[in-house]
Amino acid sequence: QVQLVESGGGLVQAGGSLTLSCAASGSMFNNYAVAWFRQAPGKERQFVTVISRSGLATHYVDAVKGRFTMSRDNTKNMVYLQMNSVEPEDTARYYCTAGSNFRIVRVTDNDYPYWGQGTQVTVSS
């Protein structure tokens, strides 16, 4: 079992930068791939990016590719989402989730059972 806690959200101006963190505890963190999702009010929770167990492989949705960078530090049980050139459309609550497979993740995927409580990101124009 893995417990996840997101942090680092806040208010940022369009074009600015923000770094989100996902802190893991409870199990051997480097055994898990980790994904970031985001959910705006009234919208479905959407996949954003995923990183492999080693951190050597990542995948991003087109909407954030070139602007967001996912990384991890397994010695610290931490995962990060560096958000650059943010846009108002990036406004959402951001969640991290841990699972057994590196791939594009759906909210309903049973192999990603662990979720954090989310952290709010608001981008002003």
Side-chain angles (χ1 to χ4, degrees), residues 24 29-30 53-54 72-80:
F29 186 54
N30 63 349
R53 291 175 292 174
S54 66
R72 68 190 298 166
D73 185 344
N74 288 337
T75 68
K76 299 179 180 179
N77 287 354
M78 295 289 291
V79 168
Y80 306 98

Side-chain angles (χ1 to χ4, degrees), residues 2-69:
V2 177
Q3 294 80 45
L4 303 171
V5 179
E6 302 93 336
S7 62
L11 178 64
V12 61
Q13 295 288 326
S17 297
L18 199 67
T19 300
L20 307 184
S21 298
C22 175
S25 62
S27 296
M28 194 175 299
F29 186 54
N30 63 349
N31 287 159
Y32 295 92
V34 178
W36 285 98
F37 280 70
R38 64 186 182 183
Q39 186 171 27
K43 300 285 189 176
E44 295 284 320
R45 190 171 298 187
Q46 297 179 313
F47 170 80
V48 179
T49 180
V50 62
I51 193 166
S52 63
R53 291 175 292 174
S54 66
L56 295 176
T58 54
H59 178 78
Y60 304 88
V61 296
D62 289 342
V64 307
K65 192 172 185 178
R67 300 188 297 116
F68 291 8
T69 302

Side-chain angles (χ1 to χ4, degrees), residues 11-15 88 91 122-125:
L11 178 64
V12 61
Q13 295 288 326
T91 295
T122 302
V123 181
S124 61
S125 60

